[in-house]
């Protein structure tokens, strides 16, 4: 690749870290062992198996609850600097409240954390990756403002139990999926569509929950352990279909990213102005007497503003957007409140995930945009990966990793974005939410028919291992 200053230097900065990731409900299984309570995902898959394309569930999944030593071994085989995993709230706090800590739940994560550290692998913990205790859902879950304190209490328990060993925390994974994916489209748990208002109420509660947890860490734990805390946002990058569509592409970026970032990362805080306008207009058009976007008080704005130590971003894919034609039908794959029609470029390769086609350049543009919006802060890529069917010779996944890592190098070296690390989603095939086990993202293939859930490295695992070892972007065919 030739850049403005000659050939691109393919080495990663010396401090750059490589990791891989998983999430509790997707890998652990053991859904009802010991005193674990059920989560909204346990309830969804049991009550409504048709919600999952292959009618599967995460009852056993990768059985990581029992096979965690093998998981650590895989992380070691790859040479990972860190392993990102999430903690199951109903496994540690069966009542959802901090009144009682499960001994077995606590020990499971103690073992995993200690096992990783023994191998020199840093544990990076997601506090919440979608498995809400069902009894808190019964109180309204993410629509009830009391969730913000319950979440903060739960986070504080984890900081107290594991903060001496865990130095990097993510409060919540992908609030966009938690709020919009749940209350607009009903494809996540709980299966509860709350049109027009649900996603925005959830959106506000998420920001406050995150901020309360961050402040607890900052005040009570940072002086002791000096760790870092952020929230992981997911993003489609939006490209304008034609130059005339740049304004709507920008609004769509604010809708997807800004709605969950502006309050935290900007100096002024609060909602992005373009989103306030969008929701006010859409609410009026639908006959509501006020905007469905809940307001922030000044105290809330100050509570949320600045609650980050770095920016965590999950990136997979890009969309094109244009202004809708007059009278054009729009659905939830579009951005109806913006009157935006969303498309993908038919030339982009597709994957086994319906929402995912491949356009690596989008990642670099998104990183540049994030830096422009939120400043010259640290960026950690907390997810990036490719979905396929079964098979160990996964050339397309190898190419995906290669091309995305190249875009990251360009962002670092050409655009001066401070990207400090990269997380491959995912360590092993797992329960891919409503796609069940049909969409595989793993560096390791998992045999879900074998009682021992055998894990076998794919060609992409060898490739990723080579990159980590060389600390540079080696080519897939390079002998190493
Ligand atoms: C993320 N979409 O989810 C999650 O953090 C992971 O748990 C998941 O396995 C991974 O990406 C792959 O899907 C997403 O529809 C789910 O745009 C859906 C979407 C994006 C990300």
């Amino acid at each position: 690749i030739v850049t403005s200053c000659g050939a691109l230097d393919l080495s990663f900065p010396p401090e750059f870290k490589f990791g891989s990731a998983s999430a509790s409900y997707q890998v652990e299984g053991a859904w009802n062992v010991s005193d674990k309570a059920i989560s909204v995902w346990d309830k969804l898959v049991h009550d409504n198996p048709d919600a999952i394309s292959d009618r599967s569930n995460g009852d056993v999944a990768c059985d990581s609850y029992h096979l965690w030593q093998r998981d650590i071994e895989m992380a070691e085989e790859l040479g990972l600097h860190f392993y990102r995993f999430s903690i199951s709230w109903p496994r540690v706090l069966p009542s959802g409240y901090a009144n009682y800590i499960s001994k077995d739940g606590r020990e499971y994560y103690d073992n995993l954390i200690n096992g990783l550290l023994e191998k020199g692998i840093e544990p990076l913990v997601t506090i919440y990756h979608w498995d809400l205790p069902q009894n808190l859902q019964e109180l309204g879950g993410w629509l009830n403002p009391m969730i913000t304190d319950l979440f903060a209490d739960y986070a504080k328990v984890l900081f107290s139990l594991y903060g001496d060993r865990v130095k990097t925390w993510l409060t919540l994974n992908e609030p966009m999926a938690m709020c919009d994916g749940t209350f607009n489209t009903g494809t996540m748990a709980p299966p509860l569509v709350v049109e027009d208002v649900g996603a925005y109420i959830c959106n506000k509660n998420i920001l406050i929950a995150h901020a309360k947890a961050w402040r607890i860490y900052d005040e009570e734990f940072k002086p002791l352990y000096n760790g870092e805390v952020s929230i992981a946002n997911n993003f489609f990058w939006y490209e304008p279909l034609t130059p005339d569509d740049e304004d709507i592409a920008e609004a769509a970026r604010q809708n997807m990213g800004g709605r969950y970032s502006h309050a935290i990362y900007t100096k002024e805080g609060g909602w992005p102005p373009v989103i306030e306008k969008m929701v006010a207009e859409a609410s009026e058009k639908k006959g509501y007497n006020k905007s469905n976007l809940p307001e922030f008080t000044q105290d809330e704005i100050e509570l949320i503003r600045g609650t980050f130590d770095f920016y965590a971003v999950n990136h997979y894919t890009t969309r094109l957007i244009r202004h809708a034609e007059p009278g054009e039908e729009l659905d939830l794959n579009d951005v109806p409140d913006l009157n935006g029609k969303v498309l993908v470029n038919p030339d982009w390769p597709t994957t086994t995930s319906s929402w995912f086609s491949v356009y690596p350049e989008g990642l670099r543009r998104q990183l540049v945009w994030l830096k422009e919006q939120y400043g010259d802060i640290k960026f950690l890529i907390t997810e990036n990966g490719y979905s396929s069917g079964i098979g160990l010779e996964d050339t397309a996944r190898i190419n995906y990793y290669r091309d995305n890592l190249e875009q990251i190098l360009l962002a670092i070296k050409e655009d001066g974005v401070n990207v400090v690390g990269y997380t491959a989603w995912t360590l092993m095939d797992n329960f891919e939410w409503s796609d069940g086990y049909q969409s595989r993202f793993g560096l390791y293939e998992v045999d879900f028919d074998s009682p021992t859930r055998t894990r076998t490295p794919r060609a992409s695992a060898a490739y990723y291992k080579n990159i980590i070892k060389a600390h540079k972007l080696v080519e897939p065919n390079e002998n190493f």
Side-chain angles (χ1 to χ4, degrees), residues 235 314-318 349-351 355-363 366 381 383-388 394-408 422-426 441 443 460 463-464 467 473 476:
F235 245 99
N314 297 353
H315 175 92
Y316 290 90
T317 191
T318 293
T350 54
T351 67
W355 48 271
F356 183 2
S357 50
V358 178
Y359 183 66
E361 290 85 344
L363 175 53
Q366 182 185 309
I381 313 256
E383 285 181 28
N384 181 241
Y386 177 87
S387 63
S388 69
D394 54 344
T395 313
R397 179 172 292 102
I398 288 177
N399 292 335
Y400 184 88
Y401 280 128
R402 188 218 163 275
D403 294 347
N404 278 272
L405 284 165
E406 176 180 272
Q407 293 300 317
I408 292 167
Y422 178 82
T423 315
W425 183 270
T426 171
F441 278 85
L443 291 164
S460 57
Y463 179 57
Y464 194 46
I467 291 173
L473 184 59

Side-chain angles (χ1 to χ4, degrees), residues 5 11 17 32 36 71 81 143 220 226 229 242 245 276 287 292 297-298 314-315 317 338 364 375 378 385 435 444 475:
C5 42
S11 58
K17 288 181 184 168
N32 62 352
K36 177 182 172 292
D71 296 348
H81 303 127
L143 297 182
E220 298 174 39
N226 201 29
V229 184
T242 72
D245 299 309
E276 281 178 328
N292 287 324
T297 64
Q298 195 55 38
N314 297 353
H315 175 92
T317 191
L338 282 175
R364 176 182 178 186
K378 282 198 290 192
D435 287 339
Y444 282 70
E475 291 300 333

Side-chain angles (χ1 to χ4, degrees), residues 23 26 84 129-130 173-174 177 188 234 236 256 314 316-317 319 353 355 383 425 430-433 441:
Q26 294 181 274
R84 174 184 173 212
H129 200 127
W130 307 353
N173 180 67
E174 297 196 352
M188 294 285 175
N234 65 315
F236 297 153
M256 185 140 201
N314 297 353
Y316 290 90
T317 191
R319 294 276 190 275
S353 309
W355 48 271
E383 285 181 28
W425 183 270
N430 55 48
F431 179 74
E432 177 51 21
W433 311 113
F441 278 85

